[in-house]
Short mmCIF file of all heavy atoms in Angstrom, two decimals:
data_model
loop_
_atom_site.label_atom_id
_atom_site.label_comp_id
_atom_site.label_asym_id
_atom_site.label_seq_id
_atom_site.Cartn_x
_atom_site.Cartn_y
_atom_site.Cartn_z
N ASP A 518 -3.09 -0.70 9.47
CA ASP A 518 -1.83 -1.32 9.71
C ASP A 518 -1.96 -2.73 10.26
O ASP A 518 -1.24 -3.66 9.94
CB ASP A 518 -0.95 -0.51 10.67
CG ASP A 518 -0.19 0.59 9.93
OD1 ASP A 518 0.11 0.43 8.75
OD2 ASP A 518 0.08 1.64 10.55
N TRP A 519 -3.01 -2.92 11.15
CA TRP A 519 -3.27 -4.21 11.75
C TRP A 519 -3.66 -5.25 10.61
O TRP A 519 -3.15 -6.34 10.54
CB TRP A 519 -4.39 -4.07 12.76
CG TRP A 519 -5.03 -5.37 13.14
CD1 TRP A 519 -6.28 -5.83 12.79
CD2 TRP A 519 -4.53 -6.43 13.98
NE1 TRP A 519 -6.55 -7.01 13.39
CE2 TRP A 519 -5.48 -7.41 14.08
CE3 TRP A 519 -3.29 -6.55 14.66
CZ2 TRP A 519 -5.31 -8.58 14.87
CZ3 TRP A 519 -3.09 -7.73 15.39
CH2 TRP A 519 -4.08 -8.73 15.55
N VAL A 520 -4.59 -4.81 9.72
CA VAL A 520 -5.03 -5.67 8.66
C VAL A 520 -3.86 -5.97 7.74
O VAL A 520 -3.60 -7.18 7.40
CB VAL A 520 -6.18 -5.03 7.86
CG1 VAL A 520 -6.51 -5.75 6.62
CG2 VAL A 520 -7.43 -4.86 8.75
N ILE A 521 -3.14 -4.98 7.26
CA ILE A 521 -2.02 -5.20 6.36
C ILE A 521 -0.90 -6.05 7.01
O ILE A 521 -0.35 -6.94 6.33
CB ILE A 521 -1.43 -3.77 5.88
CG1 ILE A 521 -2.46 -2.96 5.15
CG2 ILE A 521 -0.18 -3.97 5.06
CD1 ILE A 521 -2.79 -3.44 3.81
N ALA A 522 -0.58 -5.78 8.28
CA ALA A 522 0.44 -6.57 8.92
C ALA A 522 0.05 -8.03 9.03
O ALA A 522 0.88 -8.95 8.80
CB ALA A 522 0.75 -5.99 10.32
N THR A 523 -1.22 -8.24 9.41
CA THR A 523 -1.65 -9.69 9.51
C THR A 523 -1.65 -10.34 8.17
O THR A 523 -1.17 -11.52 8.08
CB THR A 523 -3.12 -9.72 10.09
OG1 THR A 523 -3.11 -8.93 11.28
CG2 THR A 523 -3.57 -11.07 10.35
N LEU A 524 -2.13 -9.68 7.10
CA LEU A 524 -2.07 -10.23 5.76
C LEU A 524 -0.67 -10.46 5.29
O LEU A 524 -0.35 -11.57 4.73
CB LEU A 524 -2.79 -9.30 4.76
CG LEU A 524 -4.30 -9.12 4.98
CD1 LEU A 524 -4.85 -8.19 3.91
CD2 LEU A 524 -5.08 -10.45 4.93
N SER A 525 0.30 -9.55 5.58
CA SER A 525 1.68 -9.73 5.13
C SER A 525 2.33 -10.91 5.85
O SER A 525 2.98 -11.77 5.19
CB SER A 525 2.53 -8.50 5.49
OG SER A 525 2.02 -7.41 4.75
N LEU A 526 2.04 -11.04 7.14
CA LEU A 526 2.65 -12.14 7.87
C LEU A 526 2.09 -13.45 7.42
O LEU A 526 2.82 -14.41 7.21
CB LEU A 526 2.35 -11.99 9.41
CG LEU A 526 2.93 -13.09 10.28
CD1 LEU A 526 4.45 -13.19 10.23
CD2 LEU A 526 2.52 -12.92 11.78
N SER A 527 0.74 -13.48 7.18
CA SER A 527 0.13 -14.76 6.66
C SER A 527 0.71 -15.16 5.30
O SER A 527 1.01 -16.33 5.16
CB SER A 527 -1.36 -14.58 6.62
OG SER A 527 -1.75 -13.83 5.49
N SER A 528 0.88 -14.19 4.43
CA SER A 528 1.40 -14.55 3.11
C SER A 528 2.91 -14.95 3.18
O SER A 528 3.32 -15.90 2.50
CB SER A 528 1.19 -13.47 2.08
OG SER A 528 1.97 -12.32 2.45
N ALA A 529 3.65 -14.19 4.02
CA ALA A 529 5.08 -14.54 4.14
C ALA A 529 5.26 -15.96 4.74
O ALA A 529 6.06 -16.79 4.24
CB ALA A 529 5.80 -13.54 5.02
N CYS A 530 4.38 -16.28 5.70
CA CYS A 530 4.49 -17.60 6.35
C CYS A 530 4.06 -18.70 5.40
O CYS A 530 4.63 -19.79 5.27
CB CYS A 530 3.69 -17.71 7.59
SG CYS A 530 4.35 -16.67 8.91
N SER A 531 3.01 -18.44 4.56
CA SER A 531 2.49 -19.44 3.67
C SER A 531 3.52 -19.71 2.60
O SER A 531 3.79 -20.88 2.27
CB SER A 531 1.23 -18.85 2.93
OG SER A 531 0.27 -18.53 3.92
#
Side-chain angles (χ1 to χ4, degrees):
Chain A
D518 275 333
W519 163 254
V520 171
I521 298 287
T523 306
L524 293 180
S525 295
L526 180 61
S527 76
S528 65
C530 290
S531 303

